[in-house]
Amino acid sequence: MSKIDFLDLKLPYLELKEEIDIAIQRVLDSGWYILGEEVESFEYNWSKYCDSNYSLGVASGLDALVLALKSLNIGHGDEVIVPSNTYIATWLAVHSVGAKIIPVEPDINSYNLDPYLIEEFITDNTKVIMPVHLYGHPADLDPIIKIAKKYNLKIIEDAAQSHGAMYNKKKIGSHGDIVCWSFYPGKNLGAFGDGGAITTNSLEAYERIKLLRNYGSNKKYFNSEKGINSRLDPLQAAVLNVKLKYLDDWNNRRSLISNYYLENIKNKNLALPKIMKNAESCWHQFVIRLKNRDELVKYLNSEGVSTIIHYPIPPHKQEAFEDIDLSNYSLKIAEKLSSEVISIPIGPHLNEIEYKVIANLLTNFMDI
């Protein structure tokens, strides 16, 4: 059996090579390389796909989060509730605008922000709740929205991993006040470099973010605010427009693989993913959990199967946040997950032989 890569980024390109090459050549021939029709076309198509009123392309998922916070005037003295179990970008965005990070633990089964722990951390300074749809599994939005309304808070969703996921039969991107996306190459909808977007149903938020992403300017050389330069590249927009047509099909392939894993991995030592009844995951990652993770990594590597750990160090343990006093918070669940989780291959171009081999290896793994 040849080596099974965690994710081969060449395969989606090869599948759509003719269409993508034509799209890229169209941009090169146009002579228009900043914003313009290609970006506007993708923004329209992405908002339509997400069932949202507006979409704006930006340079990265992190920039999307920062711009969302800036558009709500979040800054020094404000507090933002974030998951303790997430990629560091969520925390970096809050810190970059000068707001205070308030970490809340995840539900041990979903790995997402536990909505029933949020209220005890709300103060007069709380302005935003920032749930993350981790691994492609929607956070439990209904109780989060209820809390936000009760305390007059805004919701900024970090949807960097949830392209095409559904909550209460509605696409992620259509629920919160502002929803932030990443098109990093390894995402379900990935560009050929960095890229991101924001979706919203608020015209006010749309117009403010449109201004902020372009140096605070709606008219060249006239700057009404201190903005930043964060614009989705037309080449990336053209690639994303092609790939978007195939996103549901690729997500269906991921779902097929996940269903096979869930039905055929039989090992009492492994905790398999659990999805809420009112949610549909887009299966960005298939994350399992066990205490003896290092042994499993060695075992799978010896059999030619590549794995990744999402994420080995929780944000509060990162050197980057050593200067933040989090001594009042008990973040044991995030620490436990960081020591036990492991992601196995689930990309849409994983073939049947490969995912059956993986399921068989996991079933036969003996936790020493």
Side-chain angles (χ1 to χ4, degrees), residues 6-292:
F6 184 79
L7 183 66
D8 189 337
L9 293 176
K10 290 182 296 184
L11 294 178
Y13 167 63
L14 293 175
E15 180 181 342
L16 307 179
K17 185 179 188 307
E18 183 176 355
E19 287 185 72
I20 289 174
D21 288 353
I22 290 171
I24 290 174
Q25 192 62 52
R26 182 177 66 246
V27 177
L28 297 178
D29 291 341
S30 74
W32 195 284
Y33 307 129
I34 298 291
L35 297 176
E37 291 182 4
E38 292 289 346
V39 175
E40 290 171 3
S41 173
F42 175 71
E43 289 172 340
Y44 173 81
N45 290 331
W46 185 238
S47 62
K48 186 177 179 181
Y49 179 85
C50 296
D51 295 327
S52 65
N53 291 340
Y54 308 102
S55 173
L56 285 163
V58 297
S60 70
L62 175 55
D63 277 4
L65 293 167
V66 172
L67 285 164
L69 290 163
K70 284 178 175 291
S71 75
L72 298 175
N73 297 314
I74 304 302
H76 293 281
D78 297 328
E79 295 178 355
V80 178
I81 290 174
V82 297
S84 61
N85 180 51
T86 184
Y87 183 56
I88 197 171
T90 317
W91 285 43
L92 287 173
V94 177
H95 188 262
S96 72
V97 299
K100 185 178 180 181
I101 295 166
I102 307 297
V104 174
E105 287 276 73
D107 175 88
I108 190 63
N109 292 311
S110 73
Y111 310 149
N112 280 322
L113 179 67
D114 188 336
Y116 302 103
L117 298 178
I118 291 174
E119 273 195 278
E120 66 180 282
F121 294 96
I122 293 175
T123 71
D124 291 341
N125 295 321
T126 307
K127 296 297 188 294
V128 173
I129 304 173
M130 189 178 281
V132 179
H133 306 295
L134 200 62
Y135 310 141
H137 309 326
D140 195 0
L141 290 173
D142 279 351
I144 295 174
I145 292 171
K146 184 177 180 180
I147 292 169
K149 288 180 178 178
K150 179 179 178 180
Y151 293 95
N152 194 29
L153 307 176
K154 294 293 186 180
I155 296 174
I156 298 175
E157 297 173 47
D158 183 340
Q161 303 181 8
S162 60
H163 312 76
M166 308 271 284
Y167 181 84
N168 282 343
K169 299 183 179 179
K170 291 175 61 180
K171 286 272 179 63
I172 295 300
S174 61
H175 298 85
D177 296 294
I178 303 175
V179 185
C180 300
W181 305 88
S182 167
F183 302 122
Y184 181 79
K187 305 299 185 185
N188 291 39
L189 182 63
F192 284 175
D194 279 314
I198 291 169
T199 51
T200 181
N201 290 321
S202 165
L203 177 60
E204 182 182 4
Y206 167 78
E207 290 180 338
R208 183 90 193 282
I209 294 165
K210 188 175 184 180
L211 184 78
L212 290 169
R213 74 167 178 180
N214 189 43
Y215 296 98
S217 172
N218 278 330
K219 182 181 179 182
K220 195 167 185 177
Y221 303 131
F222 291 82
N223 305 79
S224 57
E225 288 203 55
K226 299 180 185 71
I228 63 174
N229 173 17
S230 182
R231 304 172 295 207
L232 181 64
D233 188 282
L235 284 167
Q236 304 300 349
V239 170
L240 291 167
N241 253 332
V242 173
K243 286 188 168 185
L244 180 55
K245 294 185 291 184
Y246 299 89
L247 177 58
D248 284 343
D249 178 51
W250 288 352
N251 281 348
N252 287 337
R253 296 187 208 175
R254 290 175 180 268
S255 182
L256 183 151
I257 296 167
S258 70
N259 287 337
Y260 186 86
Y261 283 159
L262 291 170
E263 293 171 5
N264 291 279
I265 296 174
K266 308 292 185 183
N267 190 324
K268 61 181 177 61
N269 296 310
L270 305 180
L272 301 180
K274 294 180 174 64
I275 308 300
M276 296 180 295
K277 290 182 180 179
N278 60 339
E280 293 179 34
S281 177
C282 67
W283 294 103
H284 176 58
Q285 305 295 350
F286 192 95
V287 179
I288 59 178
R289 202 174 85 240
L290 75 163
K291 292 181 179 178
N292 202 5

Side-chain angles (χ1 to χ4, degrees), residues 1-8 261 300-301 303-307 344-346 349-359 361:
M1 181 72 190
S2 60
K3 186 175 181 292
I4 301 176
D5 292 324
F6 184 79
L7 183 66
D8 189 337
Y261 283 159
L300 291 176
N301 285 345
E303 297 290 341
V305 177
S306 298
T307 60
I344 62 174
I346 195 175
H349 294 85
L350 197 69
N351 65 50
E352 184 177 2
I353 294 174
E354 290 172 328
Y355 65 73
K356 286 186 174 180
V357 164
I358 293 168
L361 288 172

